[in-house]
Structure formats: structure tokens, C-alpha cells
Amino acid sequence: MLEMNTKKMINSLLPYNSISIIGMEKNSGKTTTLNYILKNLKGIKSIGLTSIGRDGEDYDRVTNTHKPRIYVEKGSLVATAKSLLCKCDITKEILATTGITTSMGEIIIIRALSNGFVDIAGPSYNSALIKVRDLMLNFGCDLILIDGALSRKGSAGSLVSEATILATGASFSPDLIKVIEESSHNVKMLQLPKCPEKIENLSRQILKVGKIGLIDTELNIEVLDLPTSLNSYREIVDAVKTNHKYLVLSGAVSKGLIESIIQNRELFKNFTIIIEDGTKTFIDSNIYYKLSMIPIKLEVLDSINLLFLTCNPTSPYGYSFESDKFCNLLKTSIDIDVIDVVGGEL
Amino acid sequence: MRYLNIKDREKIGLEFLINNLTTISPYGNLKKKDIAPIEDIRILNKIFDHLEFFIKTYQQNKRKIQKIEILLMKIKNISNIVLNLQKGKTLDEVELFELKINTMIFMEIKNISNNIFLKDFHLVDLRPIIDILDPGSKKIPTFHIYNEYSEKLKNIRYKKAEIEKLIFSTTDNELQLQLKEKRRAIVVLENCEESKIKIEISQRLIPYTSNVLIDIDRIKDIDFTLAKAKLAIKYKASRPKIGNYIEFIGMFNPKILETLKIKNQEFQKLDILLKKGNTILTGANMGGKSVILKTLTLNLMLAQMGFYVFSDYATIPILKFIQFLSDDIQDISKGLSSFGAEIMKLKEITGCLKTYDKGFIALDEFARGTNPSEGKKFVKGLSSYIKNFDSFSIMATHYDGVVDNLTPHYQVVGLKNINFDSLKRKIDLNNQNSISIIQKHMDYSIEKIDSNLEVPKDALNVATLIGIDENLKDIIKNLY
């Protein structure tokens, strides 16, 4: 079993300039994870903080409880929408206006002149997020933490952040086994293997001109003239010939497409599906299992550097798992480090 | 629209040119969308003086100008912030930040530009604003509600920091909650004091707002005039003289010049003189009559908008309207045929003539949408009608005999001096490129000819060169 302590966790963060934290579900303890990291990096790294879009409301309607808020140390940088500045109770120094606008106003970069709570809504698309990240690095930050909002796993893409932390917690489901299964499945998705370089180059060629393509055993490429894979199951299945070996897809891999592939399993036997990165899948563990039975492999163009999984055994819905049991079960089903961010180190 | 509508501006290539003006700041970009023709000769001459000076300065102070351009890139549009402030609105931190940063940039520009530009472009001093927004004279391009603004604020923040230290060092959850509650109360005090200060600073800034607006205007002018200067330098454009006739020597069209450059061809520069009244332009098919009309109209528009013109030498009159009737006029959206649309346009033109008297009208193949015998009468009639006004007009036409002895007549040289048979043989050898071979041999220059000379009958020749069925050609030939 893997041993993980706070020091080791901190050390694993040190080599990176940008790390994203993504959550499996609402209330999976993402903010708790962020606060845990912020607290432990105090004085070690000069932090810049932002998010992709905004993660819900500060008041949880279901549980009638306030969600935890992010607490930053003096000296940290924060990039957030202008209308949320009044909700940040730090003493603020305005460093830059970015020209990036969101529904909550322009993204402003501020420096915390005191400790305090901040409310963050960053840019909602990746290219703007990259711009904000680089601006904060230029202001002297040496680690940018990106709060990857609910179901926007895109911020974990290697273009945006060099490393990723996944947060899971009891809030996902009261069924402990289900939480374990889906967590380990998510880890698997984020850790999908990178495809061989030759295939990567061909796939990038395909994605330069189209959205969907096929590569055959002789390494010939064929680009399908389809706008997206979302509703084009029939066309994709029709285009597949016996000597095809790879299916290259840009954007999200939808359940519907995978189901129609499963229905035509004979055609896709020994196929490899290439996707951009592990954030682009929306396939649950059940379907993934069916795919692997055909067998179909999933590979990515950009692998995600998943550092560790954090778990929050307490659900705001009023139940909690036994921390030791929860963490130990996670550790046995996942081959990366697991940290309990509520109970401290394990 | 007295000076061409949007569609015609696009057709003659004016929109293209203006969109490609390299203004840098948001103010310059706004100015680009708002260029109006000038009818006051003194103002126009002054604008040309400025432009002449900028062109000279640009070439002599390239490095300084580059520095100014880098600063212009950093500018954001703060007009609304300043106007709101002037109306008495209290600015928030972000707005105060924008005001501070931008006035700092303005002053950096001022340090360079006031030494090299004319007095009309000098920026006024905004130091007092920077002093208010940088109470500690730190000269750092950031802003916050500084402790220097109020002793009370300083004390509140000190207390806040003390409590935060306690919160950090406490492990007792209960105590930590209590401390956080206490901190919350202090944050409220901090916010109140900050609000008070924002009101105070905003009040103190109001007297300087008109100076910021002056500088915004000057920066707009600097940016815009620099862009015009760069355009003039790029194409070796020249300052037009203001007179009472139209003359261009060595006129060219920058857009077509660029296209030809790619093909390794040159634009054949044009010389043209227009006196009051009508001038006729004839010439072979594919001879570029439309291009001439467009280029002429473009240059007249530009001159009147305070740009240098694309010509080695030019004289232009101040015009009260400029109208262009293009050869592809048609308004299907209004259900008009080409002739219907032409007559609608003609109504607009005669309206301008009657109201403003002095203007310029270019007509490309007017009345081509109706039968030639009537069309000819329309052209002839319009030609003598225009003589009653103090205006200039030029008509490109295919019709014979519309010109009387007194009307000046220009003709595109075209294929006049070409040996048809040898050109035809060349084309037969290389059938694919007939059009480009014709274009290569076409003489696009124009010459003034005796008014009585006939309109060239090159249609059949050009058609033969491009390739026409032999039998059909013979039939047509027999009809000549």
C-alpha cells in the first residue's frame, strides 16, 4: 500500500507551475482540497488562484448549508470576475484588468494584501484561462492553481495545467462501493495511455482538417466530413472498413456513439479509439467495461499528469463514510496516492 | 448620403483602405469609424499640414515613434470612466486603477510626443491625478485603497492582520470560529472606511477630468495621424493641392497595385484632368474603364477626408458631394431592375446637383440597362444637363456620338497599338491563359483624344482573342 503524508504531497506539487483541481461531483471536497493545499503551501510557493467558470452558488439549496469558502494567504494572486470582488474580504490590490469578459464582469487580477476569503469565477474557456494563467505567472507567481468547476474537466487538459488533482467524496453517492467504483473509473479515464508517436502524428493530421477520422493498418488516414461525433453514429459506423484500426475523435466522446459501437462490436474488434485527452470522455464505468470486452482500447493524444486523489468522507447531505475504510478501499482500487483532506494525512 | 453610401464606399475600395489603417489605440480605432469629408478649406489644409509634419517626423524619429506605438498598445478606453466621474459618480477600485494606469501611460507618451509633435498634438499634464492615486509616490502600475488615505483605515487593517495571525496559529476549532467572527466585524469596518475614501478620492479627481478628455482627444489624433502617415509613406502618396479643377498625374489604386504586385505586374499609372462639366471616357472592353472611375472617386474621397492621395501629383477642388453610379447597380431587394435602380440613383444625383451645385459624379455605363437608341439619348441629355452646374462629372460609355466637340474625351489606349494577328497566334498556342495574355498586352493608360473620334470597336477583336465560335464570328463580322 502506498504511504502518503503531507510532506510528500507538498513535494509532489513543487515541480509544477500550474495545477488544476477537478471534482467528480458537486460537494466532492474540491474547495476543501484547495484550502488544504493553500494552507500547506504557505510560505513555500507564491500562489495564483483562478477557476474555469464558476462552480455553482455559495449557498447549497439541497443541504441548506454554506459551502466552504477559499481562504488565501496574504501575497497570493487571485483572478476573478469584477462583480465578485466585493465578496472577497481580503484587502485587495488591483494588478491588472484582462479584457476577458464573463457574465459576471471582466476578469480582474488582484493581489491579497491580507489573508481572507475569496470568491472566484475565472474565464469560462481554455484560451482565456491560459492567458490569465500566464499573466499571473508574469506577476511573479510560481504556482497557479485552477479550480476546475463542476463537469468542466477541460481545465485539466495539458494545455492549461501541467498537473491535476482529482477530488472525490461521500457526496457523490451514499453507496460507498459506487463512490469507489466511479472514482477509480475517473482516475482510469484521466490516466488513459498516450498513443504511439506515429499514430499521434497521424491523428493530429486528421484533427487539423476535420473532427473525425480513421487510420488503417497500412497507416493511411481518412477524414470523415462530419461536423461532430455527437449525432453522427450511423455515418461513422458506415465509414468503417475491415482494415481500419484506429478511430480518431475530437471533442467529447458521447455515450450514444459508444453504444452504437458496442452494437456493431464485430466491426470494431481490436480497434483503438484515440481521443484528445482523458477529460474528453463522458463514459461511465459500465460502458468502459463493455468496450474493453470487445476489445476496444482507448488512448489519448495528450496524457494528463494526475498527481493524486483527495477524498472527503463527509457528505454535506448528512452522512459520512468511515474515513479509514473509505481511504483504504480507494487505495486498493487506484494506483495513485489518496489523501483525506478533512481528516488530515494518512 | 452626399459622399457615397456604404456600398459605393466598399466598391471603390475606400472601406478596404480605412479598415487597413494601422491605428493602435482604442481611441484611434474609434476615429477610424468616424471619418467625415471636410468642406472647410482652412481645416482641410491644416490637416494636410499636420500630416505632412507627421510624415517627416515619422521618418526622422523612428525609434521615438516606436516607443509611442508600444505605449499606445497598452491603452484602454477610459472615456466612460472619465465621463461618469465628471457626472459625479464614485469610482470603484477597478475604475480608479484604470484611470491611474492610463494617465500614467498618457504621461509617458507626453514625455516623448510633446518633444516631437506640433503644439496642436501636445498632451496636457495629468500629474495631479497620478498624485491622488499614488499617495505614497511608489510609481507602481497597480492600485489599492492605500493606508496613506486614512489613519483610521491603517488602524483597522492592523487589527485585521493581528487577528489573521491568531487564526492561523490557533488549532482550537471553537476559538478559531470566534476569531473568524471577530475578523468579519473588522472586515465590515474596513469596507466602510474604503467606501468613504472612494467617495473622497472621486470628488478630488473631478476637477481634472476635462484635462483627461483633452488628452484622450489628442491621443486619438496622434494615433490616427500616425496611421495616415504610415499609409502615405507605404504607397508614396502625395499631398493634394486644393484648386478649382481636378487633376491627377501618376494616379494609381493601392488595392489593385497590391494584387498586381503578387502577379509580378505593375499598375499603369494614369494622368487625368477634369474641368467643370462633363468628361467622356471610352475604351476597349477589358480596358479598365471601371477601375479608372473607381480610382478617381477613391482619391477624391480620400483627399476630402484629409488623406494624401495615391498619385504623384494632384489638384482637387473642395466638393460638396461625391456620387458614383456603378455598372453593377441593381437592387433586387427593392425589386428594381438595373435600369430602375439607375434611375433611382439618377434622382439622387440630380437632387445633389440642385441642392449643393458643386460636386463630383462618376457614371459607369449609365443607361446600359435599356435599349441603346434610347440609352444614348439619356447619356447625351445628362451630359448637357450637368453643364448647368458648377460640378465635375465623368462618364464611361460604349455609346457612339454622345460626345460633342466641346466635351473632353479620354480613351483607354487598350489594344489599339497591338498587332491582332500575332497576339491571336500567341493565344492559340496557349489557349488556357487567353484572359491573362490579353491583360498583359492591354495598354491601360488613357489619352486625351479628339472628341469626334469614334468609340473603339474592339468588342469583336477581344471576343476573337478570348475565343469565339468561328461561324458565329463570321456572321457577326458580316453585320459590321
Side-chain angles (χ1 to χ4, degrees):
Chain A
M1 210 192 287
L2 289 158
E3 281 298 316
M4 187 73 178
N5 55 39
T6 306
K7 205 173 162 199
K8 197 175 159 200
M9 184 276 289
I10 297 302
N11 283 339
S12 74
L13 301 179
L14 292 182
Y16 305 109
N17 285 324
S18 55
I19 295 173
S20 57
I21 297 145
I22 54 177
M24 292 230 328
E25 259 305 317
K26 215 171 167 173
N27 300 319
S28 53
K30 212 153 38 76
T31 307
T32 315
T33 299
L34 248 174
N35 280 335
Y36 178 81
I37 292 171
L38 288 171
K39 195 173 151 199
N40 284 296
L41 282 178
K42 183 182 151 87
I44 299 174
K45 282 261 190 183
S46 156
I47 305 274
L49 202 59
T50 190
S51 72
I52 183 143
R54 188 167 195 233
D55 199 359
E57 305 143 24
D58 22 284
Y59 198 69
D60 197 306
R61 282 164 204 271
V62 187
T63 55
N64 267 352
T65 50
H66 272 287
K67 293 211 269 180
R69 299 181 67 197
I70 300 168
Y71 192 79
V72 298
E73 298 293 330
K74 184 177 166 180
S76 305
L77 261 57
V78 173
T80 188
K82 189 179 167 182
S83 67
L84 292 181
L85 287 184
C86 57
K87 290 191 177 176
C88 301
D89 72 7
I90 48 171
T91 303
K92 303 169 273 283
E93 179 181 20
I94 315 286
L95 297 187
T97 52
T98 59
I100 299 162
T101 49
T102 71
S103 57
M104 276 180 274
E106 188 179 359
I107 303 294
I108 313 287
I109 297 179
I110 56 175
R111 177 185 284 136
L113 297 178
S114 76
N115 300 348
F117 293 105
V118 292
D119 204 340
I120 300 185
S124 46
Y125 50 98
N126 282 352
S127 63
L129 194 60
I130 289 167
K131 187 180 165 191
V132 166
R133 178 197 70 194
D134 292 346
L135 269 170
M136 290 201 282
L137 287 171
N138 281 338
F139 275 115
C141 289
D142 32 44
L143 175 62
I144 309 302
L145 291 174
I146 299 161
D147 186 355
L150 198 69
S151 72
R152 293 204 206 203
K153 292 187 205 152
S155 57
S158 54
L159 274 178
V160 179
S161 59
E162 297 164 333
T164 298
I165 296 163
L166 180 66
T168 187
S171 61
F172 182 74
S173 162
D175 178 355
L176 176 62
I177 298 305
K178 195 166 178 218
V179 178
I180 303 287
E181 262 177 26
E182 277 308 310
S183 304
S184 82
H185 170 67
N186 262 288
V187 169
K188 230 180 260 165
M189 289 297 106
L190 292 173
Q191 287 188 316
L192 283 174
K194 199 173 152 75
C195 62
E197 204 182 316
K198 226 185 236 166
I199 301 302
E200 183 193 335
N201 292 338
L202 293 172
S203 303
R204 289 196 195 278
Q205 266 180 46
I206 290 173
L207 297 185
K208 223 176 248 172
V209 284
K211 301 262 181 200
I212 301 152
L214 292 155
I215 304 173
D216 68 17
T217 44
E218 314 266 275
L219 298 183
N220 297 310
I221 62 172
E222 185 184 331
V223 185
L224 304 188
D225 187 18
L226 295 170
T228 137
S229 72
L230 284 178
N231 292 311
S232 321
Y233 321 141
R234 188 74 257 151
E235 291 88 337
I236 294 172
V237 171
D238 286 347
V240 174
K241 295 188 196 85
T242 45
N243 61 340
H244 282 137
K245 206 170 165 238
Y246 295 91
L247 174 63
V248 184
L249 299 170
S250 83
V253 177
S254 67
K255 234 175 172 168
L257 172 64
I258 298 299
E259 269 163 6
S260 83
I261 287 176
I262 291 168
Q263 277 166 20
N264 297 282
R265 57 174 72 78
E266 279 309 309
L267 200 56
F268 288 95
K269 222 170 208 171
N270 295 317
F271 246 68
T272 301
I273 297 177
I274 311 275
I275 56 178
E276 284 164 288
D277 60 55
T279 68
K280 301 286 193 293
T281 53
F282 291 93
I283 308 167
D284 62 29
S285 54
N286 198 8
I287 291 187
Y288 180 69
Y289 176 75
K290 281 187 192 164
L291 277 182
S292 60
M293 284 293 103
I294 292 175
I296 287 177
K297 274 196 289 183
L298 273 173
E299 286 179 0
V300 294
L301 295 177
D302 294 302
S303 53
I304 284 167
N305 182 7
L306 189 61
L307 295 179
F308 48 82
L309 178 75
T310 64
C311 64
N312 180 2
T314 314
S315 163
Y317 299 97
Y319 60 87
S320 57
F321 302 145
E322 207 180 300
S323 172
D324 281 358
K325 192 179 168 196
F326 184 36
C327 290
N328 285 332
L329 273 172
L330 276 173
K331 281 183 185 179
T332 46
S333 62
I334 291 163
D335 63 351
I336 54 166
D337 295 324
V338 178
I339 306 172
D340 175 355
V341 284
V342 180
E345 32 188 284
L346 277 167
Chain B
M1 292 287 280
R2 260 203 289 159
Y3 295 92
L4 304 181
N5 58 32
I6 289 284
K7 257 191 191 161
D8 289 333
R9 286 181 184 207
E10 258 166 37
K11 266 179 202 156
I12 63 166
L14 183 65
E15 291 294 295
F16 168 82
L17 260 181
I18 287 173
N19 288 336
N20 282 293
L21 265 185
T22 52
T23 48
I24 297 165
S25 69
Y27 307 119
N29 293 340
L30 278 176
K31 172 94 183 172
K32 229 161 56 168
K33 292 184 186 130
D34 186 32
I35 314 171
I38 296 142
E39 295 172 63
D40 185 323
I41 184 163
R42 277 174 315 153
I43 297 175
L44 197 54
N45 263 322
K46 200 168 177 190
I47 288 175
F48 287 139
D49 287 343
H50 289 160
L51 184 52
E52 191 172 331
F53 183 85
F54 264 69
I55 291 170
K56 219 168 68 201
T57 312
Y58 189 88
Q59 284 158 330
Q60 288 165 354
N61 302 281
K62 276 200 176 131
R63 283 186 111 176
K64 283 181 184 164
I65 302 271
Q66 257 170 20
K67 275 188 197 158
I68 292 176
E69 289 182 325
I70 290 168
L71 290 166
L72 287 175
M73 272 180 227
K74 295 183 184 168
I75 286 178
K76 283 195 174 178
N77 191 345
I78 55 163
S79 308
N80 281 337
I81 294 176
V82 180
L83 290 171
N84 281 335
L85 182 63
Q86 204 167 42
K87 281 183 217 148
K89 187 196 165 220
T90 299
L91 301 187
D92 62 35
E93 283 103 325
V94 177
E95 289 167 325
L96 290 167
F97 165 82
E98 298 274 28
L99 182 63
K100 177 178 173 182
I101 298 299
N102 279 282
T103 44
M104 282 171 85
I105 299 169
F106 284 13
M107 289 308 94
E108 270 188 77
I109 294 176
K110 172 175 170 273
N111 285 341
I112 311 169
S113 69
N114 280 15
N115 292 323
I116 55 173
F117 292 143
L118 294 164
K119 205 156 181 269
D120 285 341
F121 294 84
H122 280 194
L123 300 183
V124 293
D125 192 23
L126 301 176
R127 269 285 6 138
I129 294 180
I130 299 174
D131 288 341
I132 292 170
L133 297 175
D134 186 16
S137 298
K138 295 196 179 78
K139 299 194 168 68
I140 301 168
T142 66
F143 177 76
H144 67 278
I145 308 292
Y146 298 94
N147 284 345
E148 280 89 342
Y149 288 126
S150 132
E151 198 59 33
K152 192 174 165 194
L153 182 69
K154 197 174 154 188
N155 290 332
I156 293 169
R157 284 179 178 166
Y158 180 75
K159 278 184 203 152
K160 189 178 166 192
E162 288 299 298
I163 283 214
E164 278 157 10
K165 269 184 222 157
L166 281 176
I167 293 173
F168 183 74
S169 55
T170 311
T171 42
D172 180 349
N173 273 350
E174 193 55 38
L175 184 61
Q176 209 172 42
L177 276 179
Q178 277 175 24
L179 287 170
K180 279 187 178 169
E181 237 0 88
K182 223 170 147 189
R183 178 182 175 277
R184 204 203 295 252
I186 295 176
V187 167
V188 172
L189 287 179
E190 188 191 15
N191 285 345
C192 285
E193 187 60 17
E194 283 180 353
S195 298
K196 233 172 81 186
I197 293 168
K198 279 183 261 184
I199 295 172
E200 218 177 274
I201 306 175
S202 299
Q203 288 295 326
R204 281 169 62 198
L205 287 168
I206 293 176
Y208 305 104
T209 46
S210 47
N211 276 350
V212 185
L213 293 174
I214 291 175
D215 277 3
I216 286 178
D217 255 357
R218 302 266 156 97
I219 282 181
K220 186 194 280 178
D221 286 341
I222 289 175
D223 190 10
F224 184 65
T225 314
L226 269 178
K228 283 200 298 186
K230 280 184 279 181
L231 181 74
I233 293 168
K234 182 176 174 191
Y235 290 106
K236 294 196 181 76
S238 67
R239 176 178 177 157
K241 241 171 55 185
I242 299 173
N244 48 17
Y245 56 93
I246 296 171
E247 185 177 31
F248 287 95
I249 296 174
M251 180 176 74
F252 61 96
N253 186 312
K255 195 178 171 184
I256 298 170
L257 184 100
E258 296 285 353
T259 342
L260 289 175
K261 217 191 238 168
I262 297 165
K263 294 191 213 160
N264 246 335
Q265 288 170 17
E266 262 178 52
F267 190 97
Q268 263 176 306
K269 290 189 171 182
L270 303 158
D271 300 343
I272 195 163
L273 170 71
L274 260 64
K275 296 231 168 98
K276 266 166 207 162
N278 193 22
T279 300
I280 291 286
L281 174 66
T282 60
N285 297 75
M286 291 176 66
K289 292 191 294 295
S290 295
V291 170
I292 294 167
L293 292 190
K294 283 175 187 166
T295 308
L296 183 60
T297 315
L298 172 71
N299 275 306
L300 287 170
M301 275 298 281
L302 284 173
Q304 194 125 3
M305 287 171 148
F307 285 77
Y308 272 20
V309 292
F310 299 107
S311 172
D312 299 334
Y313 170 90
T315 303
I316 56 127
I318 299 268
L319 300 163
K320 293 214 172 90
F321 70 90
I322 292 175
Q323 289 284 353
F324 182 73
L325 189 147
S326 62
D327 62 343
D328 56 352
I329 185 170
Q330 201 162 10
D331 206 330
I332 297 162
S333 64
K334 287 183 188 144
L336 288 174
S337 68
S338 53
F339 185 69
E342 277 185 303
I343 299 306
M344 290 295 290
K345 187 82 190 175
L346 187 64
K347 234 166 91 178
E348 201 183 326
I349 291 172
T350 50
C352 278
L353 277 167
K354 281 190 279 189
T355 320
Y356 305 108
D357 195 32
K358 192 177 181 182
F360 169 82
I361 307 152
L363 301 113
D364 198 357
E365 309 273 2
F366 174 57
R368 67 196 256 284
T370 187
N371 66 73
S373 75
E374 275 190 277
K376 211 154 122 180
K377 293 187 177 97
F378 268 82
V379 175
K380 219 169 169 174
L382 182 60
S383 180
S384 24
Y385 176 83
I386 287 170
K387 281 181 196 153
N388 300 323
F389 301 91
D390 199 16
S391 285
F392 303 83
S393 70
I394 179 161
M395 293 180 184
T397 184
H398 276 307
Y399 294 135
D400 256 336
V402 292
V403 191
D404 57 41
N405 284 335
L406 299 168
T407 309
H409 182 178
Y410 279 95
Q411 195 163 77
V412 180
V413 175
L415 299 170
K416 216 184 318 190
N417 307 321
I418 295 290
N419 182 331
F420 264 97
D421 296 332
S422 88
L423 186 56
K424 175 78 183 136
R425 272 197 298 280
K426 243 186 218 170
I427 287 171
D428 286 341
L429 287 172
N430 190 356
N431 216 349
Q432 297 290 329
N433 296 319
S434 60
I435 299 282
S436 69
I437 293 173
I438 296 171
Q439 280 170 346
K440 212 180 271 172
H441 286 84
M442 184 72 75
D443 185 344
Y444 292 101
S445 61
I446 49 176
E447 54 185 8
K448 205 164 177 194
I449 58 163
D450 190 341
S451 286
N452 290 326
L453 265 183
E454 270 195 6
V455 170
K457 298 280 183 300
D458 276 341
L460 188 58
N461 283 331
V462 172
T464 311
L465 288 176
I466 299 174
I468 179 174
D469 182 87
E470 282 296 322
N471 292 333
L472 176 59
K473 189 187 110 184
D474 289 340
I475 296 171
I476 296 173
K477 208 171 184 177
N478 284 331
L479 294 174
Y480 268 73

Coordinates of all heavy atoms in Angstrom, one line a residue, chain B residues 229-256:
Chain B
A229 N -0.1 58.7 -41.8 CA 1.3 59.0 -42.3 C 2.0 57.7 -42.8 O 2.6 57.6 -43.8 CB 2.1 59.6 -41.1
K230 N 1.7 56.6 -42.0 CA 2.3 55.3 -42.4 C 1.8 54.8 -43.7 O 2.5 54.3 -44.6 CB 2.1 54.2 -41.3 CG 3.1 54.4 -40.1 CD 2.9 53.3 -39.1 CE 1.7 53.6 -38.2 NZ 1.6 52.5 -37.2
L231 N 0.5 55.0 -43.9 CA -0.2 54.7 -45.2 C 0.5 55.5 -46.3 O 0.8 54.9 -47.4 CB -1.7 54.9 -45.1 CG -2.5 54.6 -46.3 CD1 -2.6 53.0 -46.4 CD2 -3.9 55.2 -46.3
A232 N 0.6 56.8 -46.1 CA 1.2 57.6 -47.1 C 2.6 57.2 -47.5 O 3.0 57.2 -48.7 CB 1.1 59.1 -46.7
I233 N 3.4 56.9 -46.5 CA 4.8 56.5 -46.7 C 4.8 55.2 -47.5 O 5.6 55.1 -48.4 CB 5.5 56.4 -45.4 CG1 5.7 57.8 -44.7 CG2 6.9 55.8 -45.6 CD1 6.1 57.7 -43.3
K234 N 4.0 54.3 -47.1 CA 4.0 52.9 -47.7 C 3.7 53.0 -49.2 O 4.4 52.4 -50.0 CB 2.9 52.1 -47.0 CG 2.9 50.7 -47.6 CD 1.8 49.8 -46.8 CE 1.7 48.5 -47.4 NZ 0.5 47.7 -46.9
Y235 N 2.8 53.9 -49.6 CA 2.5 54.0 -51.0 C 3.0 55.2 -51.7 O 2.6 55.5 -52.9 CB 0.9 53.9 -51.2 CG 0.3 52.6 -50.8 CD1 -0.4 52.4 -49.6 CD2 0.5 51.5 -51.7 CE1 -0.9 51.2 -49.3 CE2 0.0 50.2 -51.4 CZ -0.7 50.1 -50.2 OH -1.3 48.9 -49.8
K236 N 3.9 55.9 -51.0 CA 4.4 57.2 -51.6 C 3.2 58.0 -52.1 O 3.3 58.6 -53.2 CB 5.3 56.9 -52.8 CG 6.6 56.2 -52.4 CD 7.7 56.3 -53.5 CE 8.9 55.5 -53.1 NZ 8.8 54.1 -53.2
A237 N 2.3 58.2 -51.3 CA 1.1 59.1 -51.6 C 1.6 60.5 -51.5 O 2.6 60.8 -50.9 CB 0.0 58.8 -50.6
S238 N 0.8 61.4 -52.2 CA 1.2 62.8 -52.2 C 0.1 63.7 -51.7 O -1.0 63.4 -51.7 CB 1.7 63.2 -53.6 OG 0.5 63.2 -54.4
R239 N 0.6 64.9 -51.2 CA -0.4 65.9 -50.7 C -1.1 66.6 -51.9 O -0.4 67.1 -52.7 CB 0.4 66.9 -49.9 CG -0.5 68.0 -49.4 CD 0.3 69.0 -48.5 NE -0.6 70.1 -48.1 CZ -0.4 70.9 -47.1 NH1 0.7 70.7 -46.3 NH2 -1.3 71.8 -46.8
P240 N -2.4 66.5 -51.9 CA -3.1 67.2 -53.0 C -3.1 68.7 -52.8 O -3.2 69.2 -51.6 CB -4.5 66.6 -52.9 CG -4.7 66.2 -51.5 CD -3.3 65.9 -50.9
K241 N -3.0 69.4 -53.9 CA -3.2 70.9 -53.8 C -4.7 71.2 -53.9 O -5.4 70.5 -54.6 CB -2.5 71.5 -55.0 CG -1.4 72.5 -54.5 CD -0.5 72.9 -55.6 CE -1.2 73.6 -56.8 NZ -0.3 73.9 -57.9
I242 N -5.2 72.2 -53.2 CA -6.6 72.5 -53.3 C -6.7 73.6 -54.4 O -6.1 74.7 -54.3 CB -7.2 72.9 -52.0 CG1 -7.0 71.7 -51.0 CG2 -8.6 73.3 -52.2 CD1 -7.4 72.0 -49.6
G243 N -7.5 73.3 -55.4 CA -7.7 74.3 -56.5 C -9.1 74.3 -57.0 O -10.0 73.8 -56.3
N244 N -9.3 74.7 -58.3 CA -10.7 74.6 -58.7 C -10.9 73.7 -59.9 O -11.8 73.9 -60.7 CB -11.3 76.0 -59.0 CG -10.3 76.8 -59.8 OD1 -9.4 76.3 -60.4 ND2 -10.5 78.2 -59.8
Y245 N -10.0 72.7 -60.1 CA -10.2 71.7 -61.1 C -9.7 70.4 -60.5 O -9.1 70.4 -59.4 CB -9.5 72.1 -62.4 CG -8.0 72.4 -62.2 CD1 -7.1 71.3 -62.4 CD2 -7.5 73.6 -61.8 CE1 -5.7 71.6 -62.2 CE2 -6.2 73.9 -61.6 CZ -5.3 72.9 -61.8 OH -3.9 73.1 -61.6
I246 N -9.9 69.3 -61.2 CA -9.4 68.0 -60.8 C -8.2 67.6 -61.7 O -8.4 67.5 -62.9 CB -10.5 66.9 -60.8 CG1 -11.6 67.3 -59.9 CG2 -10.0 65.5 -60.5 CD1 -12.9 66.4 -60.0
E247 N -7.1 67.3 -61.1 CA -6.0 66.8 -61.9 C -5.2 65.8 -61.1 O -4.8 66.1 -60.0 CB -5.1 67.9 -62.4 CG -4.0 67.4 -63.3 CD -3.1 68.5 -63.9 OE1 -2.9 69.5 -63.2 OE2 -2.6 68.3 -65.0
F248 N -5.0 64.7 -61.7 CA -4.1 63.7 -61.1 C -3.0 63.3 -62.2 O -3.3 63.0 -63.3 CB -4.9 62.4 -60.8 CG -5.7 62.6 -59.6 CD1 -7.1 62.9 -59.7 CD2 -5.2 62.4 -58.3 CE1 -7.9 63.1 -58.6 CE2 -6.0 62.6 -57.2 CZ -7.4 62.9 -57.3
I249 N -1.8 63.3 -61.7 CA -0.7 62.9 -62.6 C -0.1 61.7 -61.9 O 0.4 61.8 -60.7 CB 0.3 64.0 -62.8 CG1 -0.4 65.1 -63.6 CG2 1.5 63.4 -63.6 CD1 0.5 66.3 -63.8
G250 N -0.1 60.5 -62.6 CA 0.5 59.3 -62.0 C -0.4 58.7 -60.9 O 0.1 58.3 -59.9
M251 N -1.7 58.7 -61.2 CA -2.6 58.2 -60.2 C -2.7 56.6 -60.2 O -2.5 56.0 -61.3 CB -4.0 58.7 -60.6 CG -5.1 58.2 -59.7 SD -6.7 59.0 -60.1 CE -7.2 58.1 -61.6
F252 N -2.8 56.0 -59.1 CA -2.9 54.6 -59.0 C -3.9 54.1 -57.9 O -4.3 54.9 -57.1 CB -1.5 54.0 -58.8 CG -0.9 54.4 -57.5 CD1 -1.0 53.6 -56.3 CD2 -0.2 55.6 -57.4 CE1 -0.4 54.0 -55.2 CE2 0.4 56.0 -56.2 CZ 0.3 55.2 -55.1
N253 N -4.2 52.8 -57.9 CA -5.1 52.3 -57.0 C -4.4 51.3 -56.1 O -3.9 50.3 -56.6 CB -6.3 51.6 -57.7 CG -7.3 51.1 -56.8 OD1 -7.1 50.5 -55.8 ND2 -8.6 51.4 -57.2
P254 N -4.2 51.6 -54.8 CA -3.4 50.7 -53.9 C -3.8 49.3 -53.9 O -3.0 48.4 -53.8 CB -3.5 51.4 -52.6 CG -4.7 52.3 -52.6 CD -4.9 52.7 -54.0
K255 N -5.1 49.1 -53.9 CA -5.6 47.7 -53.7 C -5.2 46.9 -55.0 O -4.8 45.7 -54.9 CB -7.2 47.7 -53.6 CG -7.7 46.4 -53.1 CD -9.2 46.5 -52.9 CE -9.8 45.2 -52.6 NZ -11.3 45.3 -52.5
I256 N -5.5 47.5 -56.2 CA -5.1 46.8 -57.4 C -3.6 46.6 -57.5 O -3.1 45.6 -58.0 CB -5.8 47.5 -58.6 CG1 -7.3 47.4 -58.4 CG2 -5.4 46.8 -59.9 CD1 -8.0 48.3 -59.4

